[in-house]
Amino acid sequence: MSRDLTPISRLLYEGRPLDAPVAIDRHGVRDFADLRGRVGALAEQIARRGPGRWLVSTENSYGCAVALLALAHTGSKAVLAPNRQPDMLRRLACDVTGAILDPGFRARELGSLPTLHPLGSAPHSNPRFARLDRGAPFVELLTSGSTGEGKPIPKALRHLEDEIEVLEENFGAACSESTRVFSTVSHQHLYGLLFRVLWPLAAGRPFRSETFLHPEELFPRMLESDSFVLATTPVHLRRMCSLDGFSHLRAGCRALFSSGSPLESDTATRVAEAVGTAPYEIFGSTETGGVAWRQQKPGGSASAWTPLARVHIEPPQADGRLVLRSPFVSVGSAVAGEDGQRFAMADRIEAHPDGSFDLLGRSDRVVKIGDKRLSLPEMEQFLERHRFVSEARLVATGHGTQTRVGAVVVATTAGRNELRSQGRRAVASALSEHLGSYWDRVLFPRSWRYVDELPRDAQGKTSRAALESILRNRSRGARTSPILYEELRDARHLQRRMEVPPDLAFLDGHFEDMPVVAGVVQVRWVMDAATVLLGAPPRVASMEALKFHSVLRPGDAFYLEVERDGDRLRFRLFDGDRMFSSGRFRLASAPESKA
C-alpha cells in the first residue's frame, strides 16, 4: 500500500485521529470517532443475528461504509443489491441471513427477513477491532445484465485494496486530504463502491453521502468546497456541459472521473474548456475491476486506452477479444506463479506497440440471420458514419431464419430536421441505402426507432431490456407512456428523465394542427412515478396548486420529479428553466416510503 493510504483491512485496527472527517451529509460532518462507534454498534447487532451473507441496500454512502465494515469485522459478506426492483429483491432475499437497509425502507419482497439499519443505533464508545483478512470474502456484486441476467461476482478485500492502491498512485497526486469526493453513481456497483466509498476511506478524503438528483442541487455543494473530485458518467457530464453554472466549478475542481461507456470527444472537450481539466475515463467491468484509463485532450486524437499498473494485457484472441491478467480480477482462471487471474473480456481491441489499445466494440453480439452472420457492433459503427446518425444500437430477436434486427437511433441535428420534414420512413430508407453499400438486404433492421438519447442507467450503461422496450412499444402501436431514459431515487425523491414519443396514444384529438399532451395525461404520469416512490398507489385526498405553465409536445424531452413532504406529494415536469406543469397532492393516508 502507498504510504498515503491506510488499507481497509487495517483502517479500524490502526485508526486515525478521532476528529478526522470521514463523510459529509445533511447532519454535518461524520468523523472517524463516529465511524468506529457506529461500526461497533452495528457489528454487535449482526453478531447477535448471525454472521453470513447479508443483503445491503442503502441510499446513503456513509451508511454503506458502516455496513460493509461491520459485516467484514463479524466474518460476514455483503451482497450489494444493484437496484430495488421487486424481482431483484425477491431473488436476493432467498439466500441471505438478513438485510441492512435505510430507515423507513421495507419491501414486501423481503418477507420476514431480519433487517437492521446501518445508522440506527447509538455509537459504541470504545469498540475494539482486529485486522481483517485480505483474502476473506468481502462483497458480492451483480453484473449489469446488459447482455442477459446479471450474475453474482464475489470480491475478496484484496481485490479492492490492490485496485485502490493503483488508483491512488495514478490519480491521487491532484488531491489533498481535504479534497471532498462527490459522486452521481451508486455505491451499490463496483465503480461507485471504489471511487465513492472505499478509495476515499483509505485515502482519508471526506466523501459526500447523498446522491443529488440533478446538477442544480449538486453544483452548490461542490462550490462550498475549496477542493473536490467528482465520479460520474457520460450521461451526467453531457447534461452538466449544457448548464451555465458548470464553468463556476473550475476553481475547486481537481479531477473528474467517468465510467460506464466511452465519452464522446466533443463532450470531453467541452468539459475541459469549462472546468480546466478533461475527465479521466476508466474502462473495466465488475469481473475485472479497472482495466485501463484515458484522458482525451482538447483538439487531440487521444482515443487509445492505457492499462492501469499491474494490469497485463495479453495478445488478443483470434476474434480480437481483450485478454488480461490482473490482481483485481475476481473470476476467471488462476495462473500459477503469476500475479492475478486471467480473464477474457467480450470487448474487442486493436493493440498498439506501446501497450495501449483501441476499443472496437464487443464480440458477443454476433448473430446469424438465415445463413449469414452479422456483427451488430460493426453495423452500429457503420450507421454512425451517416450524417443523420449520432449513435445507434441494434437488437436481434428470434432464432435462426426467424431472427430480426431492430435499430434504436439517436439522430443528429440533420437527422432530426429530416424526420420533421420527410418523416420516419424517408430516414429509414436513407439509412438502409447507406447499409446497402456493405451488407446484404436480408441483414437490414426491420424496425427503426428514433430517440433524443439512448436509455442509460445510473452507471451509464444501455441495457438490452431498455432497447427492447423501445422497439416493442413501437411495434405494438401507439404508446401510453413517455420514453424513460434515466431514473434516480432516494427516500423522499424520484426523478425521471423522459421524452414524449411522437406516437403517444393520448395525442389523438389534442389537437390536429398542434398536438399537445393533455394535463390529465401528465397527472397520470405523475401518479405512476408516485406509485414507484411510495411502493403503492397513493390515496389522494385533494389536489392543490395544480398549474400547467406551457404546452408539452411530441418530441419534447423533460424531467418528471416527485418529492414526498409528510402527507403531501409535490411534483413538477420541467426542462431546465422551462416549466410544463407543477402541483401537489395531499395524501389521505401516507404509506411508508419504499424507495
Side-chain angles (χ1 to χ4, degrees), residues 453-526:
E453 288 189 56
L454 293 174
R456 289 187 169 96
D457 60 21
Q459 310 307 311
K461 296 182 180 296
T462 299
S463 71
R464 177 186 174 94
L467 296 173
E468 286 180 336
S469 176
I470 292 174
L471 292 163
R472 184 169 57 248
N473 280 323
R474 181 182 174 190
S475 66
R476 288 179 178 175
R479 299 168 54 108
T480 59
S481 300
I483 301 167
L484 176 63
Y485 291 117
E486 181 182 31
E487 179 177 285
L488 297 172
R489 273 191 285 168
D490 61 22
R492 296 191 307 112
H493 301 79
L494 181 144
Q495 186 188 82
R496 289 174 167 177
R497 186 163 55 89
M498 312 175 92
E499 177 191 333
V500 181
D503 54 354
L504 184 71
F506 301 122
L507 296 175
D508 292 342
H510 294 84
F511 296 93
E512 185 174 349
D513 294 331
M514 190 182 78
V516 299
V517 181
V520 67
V521 176
Q522 297 180 43
V523 171
R524 169 180 171 158
W525 294 345
V526 170

Side-chain angles (χ1 to χ4, degrees), residues 322-338:
L322 186 158
V323 181
L324 72 147
R325 179 169 42 83
S326 163
F328 321 147
V329 174
S330 58
V331 295
S333 57
V335 184
E338 295 184 343

